[in-house]
Amino acid sequence: MRHAAPSSLSRSRFVTLALLCGLVIAYASTIVGPAGLHFVPLDPAEALRRFLHTRYVFNGSDQRSDWMGNLTMLVPMGFLLAGALWPQRRTGGRLIAAIGAFLLAVGFVLAVKFAQLFFPPRTVTLNYIIAQSLGSAIGIALFAAWHGRLALIVRGVSLRGGLDGLVALLQAYTVALLVFMLMPLDFALSPHDLMACLDRLPDAITTVSGADRPPLVRAVLLLAGTLALVPVGMLLTVRRERRYVVARSVAAATGIGFLMMAAVLALTVLLISGTPSLASLIYRTIGIAFGAALMRWLVQQDMGRLRRGLSAAVPWLVLPYLAILLAVNGLAITDWRSPAEALHTLYRLGLVPLFDYYIVSKADAARNIVAHAVMYAPVGVMVWLRAGARDRAGLAFCLGVLLALCVEMGRYLRPGLEGDINAIAVAGLSAWVAAKLMPAAWRMLEGLEAPRPHGTAAVGWRDRAAAARALKRAGGEVSGEIERY
């Protein structure tokens, strides 16, 4: 198979996204502080002198998670800069583009670090300059390795059918999920840290995610942790023969998935701030098994008919979705405080965009963003299902923003809770992205092919449907082979 040319990607989009990413990083690294905006004028010559004397600080292992967080934060920037500079044709120049992207990324990091001198108590050390430069390099390397697969995903958007795009999308999701599971990536590197990690191993048998949460929230977290592995199970059913086909059984996919999750559990044990849980191995494997079964089931479906059925079910799903959303956010109560009381107890710094992400670790901030994105992505999916062929991403964005605004206002009125204004932007963006991606994802699913015996042609769902109709007209029954494939 020849990979799609990177020319199928839009360089202007990479430039736009890189600028937006840079603005967010610069804002979060300077304007947002422990006391809000705190700009202190400084003579540029003095600032340059201090910057040139930036030292390397030998921190303990307790700072490793923050170091890894800084590294991870610049990975998207390196990826986007590489995409903005990557040559559009297969001719040379890729090495030059990679070097140029790295120099731009390092220049950006140095500029932001220099600006931090004007926003105390921000501190500048070589530690974080190195971490963010390495993160940029990793992002560039990821683009160099994945730009072909990324092009396949883009082609999956523009061309009907094709399993290569779906496989590339599932592979990207799986890699991102595995990294997310292992955040903040602060692995034990010394014998002392390793022994401390091993000492807590017996607790992994009884540890359950969200054990300190209400029962309904624990149930939702367990369900979300299970469903997150469904795409991984779908990927594991795919096997490469002459081309990608759904050829691996549910049992085989589940076995491979179990070994993967066992490896993730073992790596979690080695995380200084990790919380290994034997229960996670169980429910994650269940999610993989469900995903494998779902993929095998989808192969045999009429995707057009399935979409019509899901569209008809949307009105029946709205109320349960809203009920779960309110309950997870602690709003399924009758005890409220007045707006005056809420205003009196309001933590005003929480109204500063991204401040709530600054006062927690970068790993916790990432989990918060992902949690809110998962909460409101169904809005975009439901809007797409009801919109038919029309583009209603703008409507999904508005509904996501409105719904999140109501939820966060409710949290301000809930005794003991605080709202999160960042969730409003995340909700709108996640609903918009979901509505935009669903047409592409569905077209990729329409390209599914069933497994086939050696020496026979692949049988897709359209072929099976045509064969079934022909046999029905002839008074026969669908053969076992067609049912199996």
Side-chain angles (χ1 to χ4, degrees), residues 110-468:
L110 294 176
V112 171
K113 293 303 178 184
F114 179 76
Q116 285 183 332
L117 295 174
F118 296 84
F119 294 89
R122 297 278 187 172
T123 57
V124 180
T125 64
L126 283 176
N127 307 53
Y128 296 130
I129 293 176
I130 293 172
Q132 294 182 356
S133 299
L134 285 176
S136 302
I138 291 173
I140 295 168
L142 285 175
F143 184 87
W146 277 82
H147 72 280
R149 291 180 177 89
L150 188 60
L152 287 175
I153 296 174
V154 174
R155 286 173 61 86
V157 173
S158 58
L159 301 179
R160 190 174 185 82
L163 202 54
D164 291 311
L166 178 61
V167 170
L169 185 62
L170 292 174
Q171 288 174 338
Y173 174 86
T174 300
V175 172
L177 180 64
L178 292 176
V179 173
F180 182 76
M181 287 178 176
L182 295 173
M183 288 184 68
L185 304 172
D186 55 341
F187 292 100
L189 301 178
S190 67
H192 178 269
D193 291 337
L194 181 59
M195 290 304 301
C197 292
L198 295 178
D199 287 342
R200 70 185 181 201
L201 190 56
D203 296 334
I205 300 175
T206 58
T207 299
V208 179
S209 178
D212 57 338
R213 305 288 187 89
L216 180 59
V217 176
R218 290 202 303 267
V220 172
L221 289 174
L222 180 63
L223 178 61
T226 302
L227 295 180
L229 273 296
V230 168
V232 180
M234 296 174 66
L235 175 63
L236 292 177
T237 62
V238 177
R239 190 167 60 201
R240 179 71 180 273
E241 296 179 0
R242 282 175 294 184
R243 53 180 175 173
Y244 288 115
V245 290
V246 181
R248 191 173 283 122
S249 68
V250 174
T254 303
I256 296 173
F258 175 81
L259 294 177
M260 287 177 58
M261 292 305 104
V264 170
L265 178 61
L267 290 173
T268 306
V269 173
L270 301 178
L271 292 176
I272 295 175
S273 55
T275 54
S277 170
L278 189 61
S280 67
L281 177 62
I282 299 173
Y283 67 72
R284 287 171 178 173
T285 303
I286 292 174
I288 289 174
F290 180 77
L294 176 64
M295 190 71 151
R296 301 282 299 192
W297 179 78
L298 286 174
V299 166
Q300 305 181 38
Q301 303 307 306
D302 182 327
M303 301 304 291
R305 182 178 180 182
L306 179 60
R307 179 179 172 178
R308 290 191 294 271
L310 292 174
S311 177
V314 167
W316 301 95
L317 297 175
V318 171
L319 286 179
Y321 164 71
L322 292 177
I324 294 174
L325 181 65
L326 293 177
V328 168
N329 282 278
L331 300 181
I333 61 166
T334 57
D335 180 24
W336 302 93
R337 57 187 174 187
S338 67
E341 292 174 327
L343 188 61
H344 178 71
T345 59
L346 178 66
Y347 184 56
R348 286 170 173 75
L349 282 177
L351 299 178
V352 177
L354 303 185
F355 179 81
D356 286 341
Y357 297 154
Y358 171 75
I359 59 176
V360 298
S361 68
K362 290 180 174 59
D364 287 336
R367 294 187 186 101
N368 184 291
I369 294 172
V370 170
H372 282 112
V374 170
M375 273 191 251
Y376 294 100
V379 174
V381 175
M382 289 188 284
V383 167
W384 172 78
L385 285 171
R386 297 294 292 182
R390 295 167 294 178
D391 185 353
R392 289 291 185 265
L395 175 62
F397 176 85
C398 293
L399 289 177
V401 167
L402 180 61
L403 182 56
L405 178 62
C406 294
V407 169
E408 299 308 317
M409 289 296 293
R411 286 180 61 87
Y412 280 116
L413 297 175
R414 167 74 159 88
L417 293 181
E418 283 283 344
D420 182 359
I421 65 166
N422 304 294
I424 300 172
V426 174
L429 288 174
S430 63
W432 182 84
V433 170
K436 278 291 187 181
L437 288 182
M438 280 305 298
W442 198 264
R443 281 195 293 269
M444 291 176 187
L445 288 174
E446 289 177 335
L448 286 173
E449 296 180 1
R452 60 189 185 275
H454 293 293
T456 62
V459 183
W461 67 265
R462 293 182 179 84
D463 300 319
R464 296 195 309 276

Side-chain angles (χ1 to χ4, degrees), residues 3-11 14 83 86-90 94 143 147-148 150-152 154-155:
H3 283 183
S7 58
S8 61
L9 306 176
S10 171
R11 175 177 288 179
F14 280 113
W86 211 252
Q88 296 294 298
R89 299 189 178 184
R90 292 181 179 274
R94 294 181 177 179
F143 184 87
H147 72 280
L150 188 60
L152 287 175
V154 174
R155 286 173 61 86

